[in-house]
Amino acid sequence: MIGSSPTEVGRFLEETEARLLELSIEAQQADWVYSTYINPDTEALSARTLARLIGVTVDLAKRSTRWNDAPITPVEARKLRLLRLSLPLIAPSDPSESTELTRLVATMEGKYARGRHVLRGSATELDLQELSHVLQESRDPARLTDAWTGWHSVGRSIRPDFERYVELANRGAREIGFPDMGAMWRSKYDMDPEAFSSEVERLWREVEPLYRSLHAYVRRRLVETYGPDHVDPRGPIPAHFLGNMWAQSWEGIFPILAPPEESLGFDLTRILVDRGTTPTDMVRYAESFFVSLGLDPLPPTFWERSMFVRPRDRDVVCHASAWDLDFADDLRIKMCIEITDEDFRVVHHELGHNYYQRAYAGQPYLFRDSAHDGFHEAVGDTIALSVTPEYLRKIGLLSTALPTGGDIPLLLYRALEKIAFLPFGLVVDRWRWEVFSGGITPAEYNDTWWAMRRTYQGIVPPAARDPEEFDPGAKFHVPANVPYMRYFLAAILQFQFHRALVRAMGSGEPLHRASIYGSKEAGEKLRAMLEMGQSREWPDALEAVTGERTMEARGLLEYFAPLQRWLDSENRKAPVGW
Ligand code: X8Z
Ligand code: ZN
């Protein structure tokens, strides 16, 4: 206990929080301008402000080690622990390496945002959104391959930046005591990083049988559509047939997967388009759901400062995100909203982030984050699970009588979105963790990426890939340095939350039909958790909503139980596995 007193650590933390708040606001402002107006100057500015924030954080984290064995309060100890983990990127303290690293991340993100491809027989450059439409709508294998391959070539240009980024980020993480960046990412879960890996594996094993059943059903229907020359009835599924650039969610091809004799009974995209819904209307729908739970409407600045549509005159980062520029009330989303069923869900997802941010704004700076990052991702999705046909009828979007048939089409639709996602959610960081630890070398980047995708997801690329390609770089979160395991956790957690909130309302309805819309009880439970921020370990936050202290797949399995039975009977006609 070397010359430290509680007041000393208290003063240190107070100054630390004030300084980091100031620098984070600056970094966010620069990043906002960069992301909504990409050019060399905004790139340099945002990289420089981030480098400054990282530099100060590293310096403070190093100074904080003097209290490692000191008798300080649990709150102080938690803050000191979180200080080291407060950023998803740490740079080496050498100033030139530090700006080099933040420049690299900005450059990679910019390359991704500017990716374009001209389809064969056309003269127009298509961006990611347009190429995604092709993947969803075309049934021509050659055209699908062209759109898929065209987009994935963006990865190749990112590859050299990525290699150097891994090197520098690891060097940074080691300076503050982590073995590598992946280990740093895994340390953010209030548990031993290795125990966290096992926890993830345990959750995956619980849901894997459901994924395999869905995979088998989908593959059989794709064989019916494209024939066994294109889709091997016993093998992995070629990724370009699944209606999504990364084959991460498959609801885009619902029309060819729906049970032949039943339908959803409505098409939300059609309804929204026919009513002349605007992007702002889409966000208003989502806001009003949160308000129905007893939460406040968004502030006027949200509507003034957010970006809802892709500007026509410049490049922007279109990947949807939610921001809190002053860590208080300057909430915004940045999104290129399309009037679709998918984006209807995404706006709910994004507002979940904003409502979380606002709820924990009352906490000290180092506690202004979610219980763990899976919680942040799960909130809006939990709300979106309550966007049921009955809810849509209630708010006047569905006027037709609801189909009286079974619930299988709806459950299948949801499974194509949520269950198909699970192994993808797992694979992105299982791969990156290995890259950061050195278990995967640059020469092995692409082959290992596909080996893992084949093992976990049962998918393969449209044709053999040159090992020189860099297909992970064609997924936003890789060039943008956003950890991904959060989405896997969120995919499990949202059903755990949904189940608990539905039961708290006293509803005995099957989970897939229940909606928490308008429930003040559900709103109160949610609010209690959101307001905690990360002031407590995540099991405390989980308990506030669910009464449980471990992440459990039970909610998800209960939600999809009727579908699992239906798939089991469907799959008597087809092999399972790959
Ligand atoms: O990136 C997102 C959000 C922003 S945090 C739109 N998601 C993941 C993805 O698009 O890959 C949401 C689900 C998974
Ligand atoms: Zn998100």
Side-chain angles (χ1 to χ4, degrees), residues 321-338:
S321 53
W323 299 59
D324 177 9
L325 274 91
D326 62 355
F327 293 83
D329 211 31
D330 190 352
L331 309 164
R332 306 180 198 174
I333 65 171
K334 177 187 62 56
M335 201 175 151
C336 301
I337 300 179
E338 298 182 296

Side-chain angles (χ1 to χ4, degrees), residues 248 319-321 346 349-350 353 377 421 475 477 484 487:
Q248 68 181 64
H319 191 88
S321 53
V346 178
H349 175 94
E350 297 308 330
H353 289 306
E377 300 302 335
F421 180 79
K475 176 65 197 169
H477 304 69
Y484 209 83
Y487 301 109

Side-chain angles (χ1 to χ4, degrees), residues 189 290 322-324 327 331 348-360 367-382 486-487 489-491 493-494 497 529-530 533-534 538:
Y189 298 93
F290 286 88
W323 299 59
D324 177 9
F327 293 83
L331 309 164
H348 287 78
H349 175 94
E350 297 308 330
L351 289 202
H353 289 306
N354 283 146
Y355 273 95
Y356 214 149
Q357 290 159 341
R358 181 154 69 178
Y360 57 59
F367 292 157
R368 284 183 213 167
D369 204 341
S370 51
H372 69 49
D373 52 8
F375 283 63
H376 229 311
E377 300 302 335
V379 173
D381 282 10
T382 302
R486 55 183 64 184
Y487 301 109
L489 300 175
L493 276 174
Q494 60 191 261
F497 291 154
M529 178 181 92
L530 302 184
Q534 61 176 346
W538 64 259

Side-chain angles (χ1 to χ4, degrees), residues 473-531:
K475 176 65 197 169
F476 175 76
H477 304 69
V478 174
N481 185 55
V482 181
Y484 209 83
M485 199 55 82
R486 55 183 64 184
Y487 301 109
F488 172 78
L489 300 175
I492 305 274
L493 276 174
Q494 60 191 261
F495 290 96
Q496 195 170 358
F497 291 154
H498 178 68
R499 178 174 184 264
L501 294 172
V502 165
R503 296 296 174 242
M505 286 164 58
S507 163
E509 273 187 297
L511 292 181
H512 63 280
R513 281 204 218 132
S515 175
I516 61 167
Y517 181 66
S519 166
K520 302 291 181 283
E521 291 109 305
E524 269 318 303
K525 278 193 177 284
L526 207 54
R527 180 205 296 275
M529 178 181 92
L530 302 184
E531 284 178 352

